[in-house]
Amino acid sequence: MAELNLVLLGPPGSGKGTQGERLNEDLRLPYYATGDILRAAVRDKTELGRTAKGYMDAGDLVPDEVIVGVIVEALDSDAARDGFILDGFPRTTPQAEALDAKLDELGRRVTAVLLIDVTDDEVVRRIGGRRTCAENGHVFHVDFNPPKREGACDIDGSELITRDDDNPATIRNRLNQYHEKTEPLVDYYDQRSVLRRIDGEKDPDEVAEEIRRTLATMRLEQDEAV
Ligand code: ADP
Ligand code: ADP
């Protein structure tokens, strides 16, 4: 069967992490969420974290050369040999080109890009109520997906926090960055015939079901094309 090299694309707060967690469980493929990787680096005060923190706090993208190396190294590993899920990468055209170049070197390519489509208003509602588990980044929402016990993660019990960058001013900047720098990737991947649009405004179970159906159809198409 054709391998699945999957990219989750969409504005901040569209549900990439929520759906990525489920896909990770269902597909058992390594899952690389660049936001989570960067937050862990900030927490551990590594060189990567020290470089990234100022950009993240302002809601700007970290420079391409900072993040590309992290992903290229991850994809070169044995763990990613049979496929992978990328969440939050690529976010710029140079990142997409760097990803293609690396995969090309490995004789592979991006096989599916899911655009999780939501309006800017919905982004503001979602990020405004997002709570994130301090230990492992599990995601909740005060209204749309509340934890069973207030302030505690259902999965590992750790404290739920509001991310430093989940505030109104930063959200606006992140949306601007998305429209300016990341949205061009919709055309980039459409031209390569790997892009599929997912209606991200439905409830999480329905979004997950649409993703499952879309990936199953793409698999069939790819298997027929081989
Ligand atoms: P969200 O879930 O709101 O989309 P992420 O957790 O993916 O946010 O990313 C948080 C921050 O980390 C971004 O605002 C940006 O500063 C940085 N970041 C994450 N991925 C990338 C990337 N591929 N390129 C540049 N910066 C990134
Ligand atoms: P991203 O990784 O794209 O930034 P998240 O998965 O962190 O997005 O989701 C952002 C917020 O919206 C979280 O608080 C999450 O619980 C909530 N959320 C995710 N998917 C949905 C959905 N389909 N409907 C309502 N709220 C959602």
Side-chain angles (χ1 to χ4, degrees):
M1 193 154 28
E3 68 186 24
L4 180 61
N5 301 326
L6 174 65
V7 169
L8 298 176
L9 194 63
S14 54
K16 301 181 298 295
T18 300
Q19 298 300 329
E21 252 176 51
R22 293 179 183 223
L23 281 167
N24 184 21
E25 274 170 28
D26 290 352
L27 301 171
R28 307 251 156 233
L29 288 175
Y31 171 55
Y32 304 105
T34 41
D36 291 347
I37 293 169
L38 290 170
R39 275 185 293 280
V42 169
R43 200 179 51 197
D44 297 345
K45 299 193 168 63
T46 66
E47 196 184 327
L48 173 66
R50 279 195 299 272
T51 309
K53 186 172 183 339
Y55 297 99
M56 295 173 79
D57 286 347
D60 290 329
L61 296 180
V62 307
D64 291 331
E65 60 274 18
V66 171
I67 193 70
V68 162
V70 174
I71 291 299
V72 159
E73 194 183 317
L75 297 186
D76 224 347
S77 69
D78 263 0
R81 208 185 40 200
D82 298 325
F84 55 80
I85 304 166
L86 287 178
D87 164 356
F89 185 95
R91 261 178 154 107
T92 65
T93 303
Q95 290 181 18
E97 288 168 350
L99 174 61
D100 279 352
K102 180 68 207 178
L103 290 176
D104 199 42
E105 190 190 308
L106 299 170
R108 299 166 63 184
R109 64 187 180 88
V110 170
T111 56
V113 178
L114 301 178
L115 171 65
I116 308 190
D117 221 355
V118 304
T119 60
D120 287 7
D121 285 347
E122 182 67 12
V123 164
V124 171
R125 266 193 294 276
R126 288 195 186 174
I127 296 189
R130 172 159 61 187
R131 297 293 179 270
T132 305
C133 114
E135 212 52 53
N136 294 302
H138 299 120
V139 174
F140 299 84
H141 190 284
V142 288
D143 300 316
F144 306 145
N145 178 26
K148 292 193 181 78
R149 188 158 59 87
E150 203 185 316
C153 176
D154 288 355
I155 299 159
D156 56 36
S158 67
E159 185 195 2
L160 293 184
I161 56 163
T162 302
R163 270 168 47 180
D164 287 345
D165 58 343
D166 281 354
N167 65 71
T170 311
I171 293 171
R172 254 192 312 280
N173 187 38
R174 281 155 67 200
L175 269 171
N176 289 340
Q177 300 271 321
Y178 174 77
H179 291 304
E180 190 187 321
K181 297 187 177 144
T182 308
E183 224 166 15
L185 296 182
V186 174
D187 272 351
Y188 181 97
Y189 285 119
D190 212 10
Q191 280 163 15
R192 287 156 180 76
S193 304
V194 287
L195 185 96
R196 298 293 183 276
R197 283 170 201 274
I198 304 293
D199 178 359
E201 300 229 343
K202 297 187 184 140
D203 77 51
D205 288 343
E206 285 177 283
V207 177
E209 181 52 27
E210 190 178 339
I211 288 177
R212 201 193 57 72
R213 266 188 279 116
T214 302
L215 290 177
T217 308
M218 289 183 91
R219 278 223 157 161
L220 279 178
E221 288 165 1
Q222 279 163 10
D223 286 346
E224 278 165 15
V226 173

